[in-house]
Amino acid sequence: MTFDEMLKLTDDLVFAKTGQHLNDLQEKVVRGTIQGETYEKIAEDFHCNESYVRDIGSKLWHIFSESLGEEVNKSNLRSVMQRFQVSLFSNVVQDHVQAGSINFCEKTRQPPDIPSSNSDYQQSPTENHKLSEMPGLGVFYNRTSELETLQTWILQERCRLITITGISGIGKTQLAVKLIQEIKHDFEYILWYNLDHASTFTEFQAELIELFYPKTESELIAKNGKRFKPIKYLQKHRCLVVIDNIHCLFCSNQLAGQYQPEYEEFRYLFKQIEELSHQSCFLLIGWEQPIELAEIRSSNPKFKTLTIRGLETKAIAEFFPEQELGEYEKLTPRIHHYQGNPLWLNIIANFIPEMEDFGDKIIENNTIFLPQSLKDNLQQQFNRLSPLEKQVLLELVQDEQPVNLAQLLQRRQINSSDLFNALQSLLRRCWLEKQDHFHCLPAVIRQYITDRND
Ligand SMILES: Nc1ncnc2c1ncn2[C@@H]1O[C@H](COP(=O)(O)OP(=O)(O)OP(=O)(O)O)[C@@H](O)[C@H]1O
Ligand SMILES: [Mg+2]
């Protein structure tokens, strides 16, 4: 990397952050630092006070640190910039990325709407929020600790890639909507993108282009086949990209989180998002997370996973406002089976009189009432399971008590690797629970599998 390229890169970073190019003194500080000069020498050359130069330097290092997500100072500026450049042009990445899909090498124009600065670089960002696909926020109880965790990861720890997983209906999407309401002003650009089975990578990329460019220009880019490099914008700007229903990227009838061939480009994009230095965050929401993120322990502190569990007891009571306290207490053991899943609780709340008609018979038999809409909800997820997972569920449903891996292996129904992988996959889908090495089926899942086989 040449001296001028390094200078240009620092200027780009400052421009992206403050809306202004390096002024003469800032440029001199960067030049001097790259050339190994002391603050004293820089001040002398510029005929100004050394402490003033130090102050300019520390503000610049602060900008670079924030933009690149790592500590930058006078002694490591040169090496960080070189590393940053290498990561941008990394051959490894280019090998992975199909030409024409994502590339990092073209010279770009400056993005629109760059904010102007104030003296200490704390300007409020220009907000370009594309949230037309984001659902509205309904009644929302609790989730304080999940919201705190996510805010810490995103705002303080500056995580780059976060997956939010959990069984259908548990409240992942609503949690993300609430989160965005609370943190949206920390981001210049936000995109909410809902995947479905007809989505394509090109379509997703077009949404990203449109986020950064006005409509007419994005059409021109698409038309001229001009190559687009989202990572550049994610590096220059603080962007939040939410992709909901991430499970649509993965194969049905296989273990959780395996990409369908036509979605491989998403894998490469997520890999870059996790590995390259940038100041943006991707939030991936769904029933399954990519297998490489779930199975390979990442040493990267910028990547996190949050598995969403049921609501707390106090919040669950809110779903049954018509019940007198005494009546509600009678219902509690039955409601408990629905594991604080707000979708299931909303369905069940409609059927309280019917549940009372079933009366104690249900409790005696340990039967759990599954209305059709709840079954339909489970059916969609069941259809995605691999044959092996279905076989394991059928085995587990026989066990009244939790069982461990050794006990399952003794039965010799399924070979050890297959059994292990199927259990892991079911755990990741939250179709299985594990406590102290013992596996057991959640009550609703157990009932669903039992009903299917009756
Ligand atoms: N914290 C909450 N308090 C009250 N109701 C909630 C809460 N979270 C979710 N709900 C309700 O539960 C239902 C399911 O929520 P949501 O769509 O967020 O689930 P999900 O996990 O995204 O499901 P899926 O994986 O199927 O998309 C919605 O009707 C929603 O209004
Ligand atoms: Mg959802």
Side-chain angles (χ1 to χ4, degrees), residues 25 49 119 150 214 228 299 325 340 376:
L25 179 53
N49 186 310
S119 56
L150 288 166
F228 172 62
S299 55
L325 193 61
D376 292 344

Side-chain angles (χ1 to χ4, degrees), residues 267-289:
R267 182 210 296 273
Y268 303 135
L269 177 65
F270 299 154
K271 194 169 155 56
Q272 292 154 31
I273 297 304
E274 190 195 349
E275 289 177 353
L276 298 185
S277 270
H278 58 82
Q279 51 174 331
S280 299
C281 177
F282 265 54
L283 202 59
L284 312 181
I285 306 168
W287 303 339
E288 302 163 32
Q289 61 172 323

Side-chain angles (χ1 to χ4, degrees), residues 426-438:
L426 287 167
L427 283 166
R428 290 203 298 272
R429 296 181 198 270
C430 300
W431 271 55
L432 186 61
E433 286 169 352
K434 189 176 172 194
Q435 256 190 357
D436 303 332
H437 304 291
F438 283 86

